[in-house]
Amino acid sequence: MAVSSIFHDLTPYFVYTLLTATIGPLLFGYHLAELNAPQQVITCQKKSLSVSGSAVSRLYSVFGSSTVTAAPSGTFPQCIPMNSAQFGVVSSFFTLGGLVGALAAGPVTTKYGRLRAMILASAFAAVGPVFEALATNIGLLTVGRLISGFGAGAATVIVPIYISETAPPHQKGFFGSFTQVMINVGILIAQVLGLFLSRGQLWRIILGVGGAIALVQTAGLVLGGQESPKWLADNGKASLAKRALRKLRGHEANVDEEVEGWGVESREDVEDEEDTLLTNEDRMPEHPEDEGESDQQQQPNSKVGRAEQQAENLAKTIGFLAVLRNPDYRPAVIAVVMIMVGQQLCGINSIVMYGVSLLSDLLEANSALLNVGVAALNLIVTLSAAPLVDKLGRKACLLLSITGMGVNSILLAVGIMKGIAPLSAIAVLLFVASFGLGLGPIPFILSSELVGAEAVGATQSWALAANWIATFVVAQFFPVVNEKLGKGQVYFIFAAFALVFGLFTAWWVPETKGKKDADEVWGRSKGRERED
């Protein structure tokens, strides 16, 4: 897909909504990586992060002298003493908060809409960093990570659904990749700040920046956010949905094909409702979902009846447990849960969360610089590979990605065990590049493509819950397992996981490229899934 064709029909307002929404995933990546570089400073093992290179050293000096004085009496402590197990708990509590947020987000976004759910998630994301930045002990730091995790976990459920429902139909794969792109932006920001602020008490700035970013998102969503047109249509507000869609696509765009895909009885019905609305309103309300009830009362009785029936049918959304019992949805839940678990158990967060300490002995002062390079490479590869998702297909990109991670896990294990610094550095870079090709962005868009709108919230909650549990396992146990087995050998385990998940993907996961809906993906007749 040519870049010019991707951006040709985009409106500034769609770009605004895309960027504002994806600040949520950005914060997820930021909090994942925020403790990586300053780990040894926060835990009182070092007074500052060692960085080689004259250019970097000059920049580094901007943020403080090479010596660190003790904190005056009555102020915040310079560091919080922790052993590796305690630090693992602090790190992993972010994932526990994420798990709770992911489980709660599905029902909330289905009932109250994508926009309101994103605003709520951003509020939690703004509060958590306050506790983190002002922490004087392990307990406060852990509470802050837990609250931040709740907001991030909710965002990783809501935002992919929102993008899938607002992106142009033939570019859903490309824009769906922006969830992972923005996660990588967050990781990069955290790594760069960590490179320069990992000294004295400046690490508190790193932890507080996440809250400032969340406040920007909250303001952007409240002042200029747009509810998903698809959610409005699914809740019996078809005319408002069409007007919201025109706002995203531009008033001259032909949106008839998308409107037909919403499943309303006919395009004429929507246009009739819209004409009636326009005689009573001069302009569209800022948050149209709040006006849906009064709008429906203004329609002819037949139109109200159809809208109410549609809302009633779609209100029968598949619940968190019911989606597993339904034989039409169960294969999709299994597919997305396994891919989400694979995303973590192939080992990416061992680099994102612990890369500096993992490689510090082998690469000495250059481990922090390498991690910044890794974060930048991850961002570049994910953004560059985004068009491939629509060109090669989801399944092909997943298989290429998992294979690359498995091979480079073995090379990284050998490089660390044998003390071969160049091999380790190259393996880390290729490992992360392979992740960005498919296993990074694609899992976030699968739920909305493998099930219908009535089940996407529950399916996405299952998927992200599994992802957060797997993230917790890696965050909590990677330092312990790596220490027990000997540095590097844990990557043989990640390579074995890559083999397992690669075989599963080839066998179970269907291709969704070019498919109109979940029925076509799974080869079902439309009637069978909707029968009562």
Side-chain angles (χ1 to χ4, degrees):
M1 183 184 298
V3 173
S4 59
S5 66
I6 292 174
F7 295 102
H8 180 265
D9 296 325
L10 296 186
T11 63
Y13 187 63
F14 170 74
V15 174
Y16 171 84
T17 59
L18 176 70
L19 294 178
T20 305
T22 52
I23 291 177
L26 181 151
L27 288 169
F28 167 62
Y30 186 90
H31 288 299
L32 271 181
E34 66 184 353
L35 300 182
N36 188 356
Q39 173 183 346
Q40 293 178 319
V41 178
I42 294 174
T43 58
C44 304
Q45 297 178 39
K46 289 184 177 180
K47 292 184 177 180
S48 65
L49 180 68
S50 299
V51 182
S52 65
S54 57
V56 174
S57 297
R58 285 195 298 272
L59 288 171
Y60 200 63
S61 65
V62 172
F63 296 93
S65 63
S66 59
T67 60
V68 181
T69 58
S73 176
T75 63
F76 296 107
Q78 186 168 285
C79 58
I80 302 174
M82 282 181 272
N83 57 36
S84 59
Q86 291 170 322
F87 186 78
V89 169
V90 171
S91 297
S92 60
F93 256 70
F94 172 72
T95 66
L96 288 181
L99 172 61
V100 177
L103 291 174
V108 171
T109 190
T110 298
K111 183 174 182 180
Y112 298 105
R114 318 315 187 199
L115 180 60
R116 288 172 176 170
M118 286 192 292
I119 292 172
L120 182 61
S122 67
F124 279 95
V127 171
V130 175
F131 287 88
E132 294 185 56
L134 303 181
T136 57
N137 53 56
I138 296 176
L140 284 177
L141 185 58
T142 303
V143 169
R145 295 278 291 172
L146 183 70
I147 298 172
S148 297
F150 185 93
T156 55
V157 171
I158 304 161
V159 174
I161 298 174
Y162 182 78
I163 294 175
S164 176
E165 293 176 348
T166 57
H170 302 296
Q171 298 164 5
K172 291 184 183 295
F174 176 80
F175 288 108
S177 299
F178 271 66
T179 297
Q180 185 62 37
V181 167
M182 293 300 278
I183 288 174
N184 293 338
V185 170
I187 292 171
L188 179 60
I189 293 172
Q191 300 284 28
V192 171
L193 290 179
L195 185 64
F196 297 125
L197 299 180
S198 295
R199 51 176 52 229
Q201 293 203 49
L202 295 179
W203 57 267
R204 296 182 183 277
I205 297 176
I206 302 174
L207 305 189
V209 163
I213 296 173
L215 286 175
V216 171
Q217 183 190 26
T218 304
L221 291 171
V222 171
L223 297 177
Q226 172 63 61
E227 182 54 80
S228 159
K230 181 67 166 58
W231 184 86
L232 291 172
D234 286 346
N235 285 269
K237 304 167 187 175
S239 59
L240 294 174
K242 186 173 182 180
R243 295 166 65 195
L245 184 61
R246 280 180 173 161
K247 189 176 180 182
L248 290 169
R249 299 286 181 266
H251 292 290
E252 302 300 322
N254 186 345
V255 298
D256 290 342
E257 183 179 350
E258 286 188 74
V259 172
E260 290 174 356
W262 291 340
V264 295
E265 286 194 12
S266 71
R267 184 171 68 240
E268 289 74 17
D269 289 340
V270 177
E271 291 170 347
D272 288 345
E273 291 181 34
E274 187 178 45
D275 290 340
T276 305
L277 268 178
L278 290 174
T279 63
N280 294 281
E281 295 179 346
D282 293 326
R283 61 185 180 85
M284 182 180 178
E286 184 174 355
H287 297 295
E289 67 273 18
D290 295 334
E291 304 296 329
E293 184 176 346
S294 61
D295 288 336
Q296 288 184 11
Q297 292 173 354
Q298 297 171 5
Q299 310 304 318
N301 291 336
S302 60
K303 298 293 190 299
V304 173
R306 280 193 294 270
E308 288 178 348
Q309 182 63 45
Q310 182 188 13
E312 181 181 347
N313 291 339
L314 287 163
K316 297 176 182 177
T317 53
I318 307 299
F320 188 70
L321 296 178
V323 75
L324 284 180
R325 295 194 292 265
N326 190 308
D328 285 333
Y329 301 125
R330 192 183 305 119
V333 175
I334 294 172
V336 295
V337 164
M338 288 293 288
I339 293 301
M340 279 292 190
V341 171
Q343 185 190 62
Q344 298 304 319
L345 295 189
C346 285
I348 186 62
N349 277 330
S350 67
I351 300 297
V352 172
M353 301 179 76
Y354 298 109
V356 173
S357 59
L358 174 71
L359 301 171
S360 59
D361 292 340
L362 188 61
L363 299 174
E364 298 178 349
N366 292 315
S367 61
L369 283 174
L370 177 63
N371 271 265
V372 173
V374 164
L377 178 66
N378 197 4
L379 173 60
I380 293 169
V381 170
T382 303
L383 190 57
S384 302
L388 295 179
V389 176
D390 288 320
K391 186 174 182 179
L392 299 180
R394 283 59 159 160
K395 187 170 184 175
C397 287
L398 279 173
L399 291 173
L400 288 172
S401 177
I402 294 171
T403 301
M405 293 186 73
V407 170
N408 286 289
S409 288
I410 296 174
L411 295 178
L412 181 57
V414 172
I416 294 176
M417 290 171 60
K418 301 296 184 181
I420 308 174
L423 177 61
S424 299
I426 293 172
V428 166
L429 294 174
L430 293 177
F431 178 83
V432 171
S434 298
F435 177 80
L437 177 63
L439 200 54
I442 293 175
F444 292 103
I445 66 177
L446 280 182
S447 292
S448 59
E449 297 183 338
L450 292 179
V451 297
E454 70 282 353
V456 68
T459 304
Q460 190 80 324
S461 287
W462 273 110
L464 271 299
N467 185 275
W468 281 102
I469 291 172
T471 303
F472 172 80
V473 170
V474 174
Q476 179 65 47
F477 297 109
F478 174 80
V480 178
V481 174
N482 187 50
E483 184 177 338
K484 294 292 184 182
L485 293 181
K487 282 200 170 184
Q489 296 186 50
V490 67
Y491 283 93
F492 288 123
I493 298 177
F494 291 140
F497 278 126
L499 177 62
V500 170
F501 289 110
L503 292 173
F504 173 83
T505 301
W507 169 56
W508 187 271
V509 180
E511 179 56 71
T512 63
K513 173 193 171 186
K515 304 297 176 63
K516 185 177 181 180
D517 54 30
D519 296 307
E520 186 178 350
V521 168
W522 295 101
R524 297 188 297 251
S525 63
K526 273 188 175 290
R528 186 172 75 84
E529 184 180 351
R530 301 293 187 263
E531 285 178 356
D532 293 328

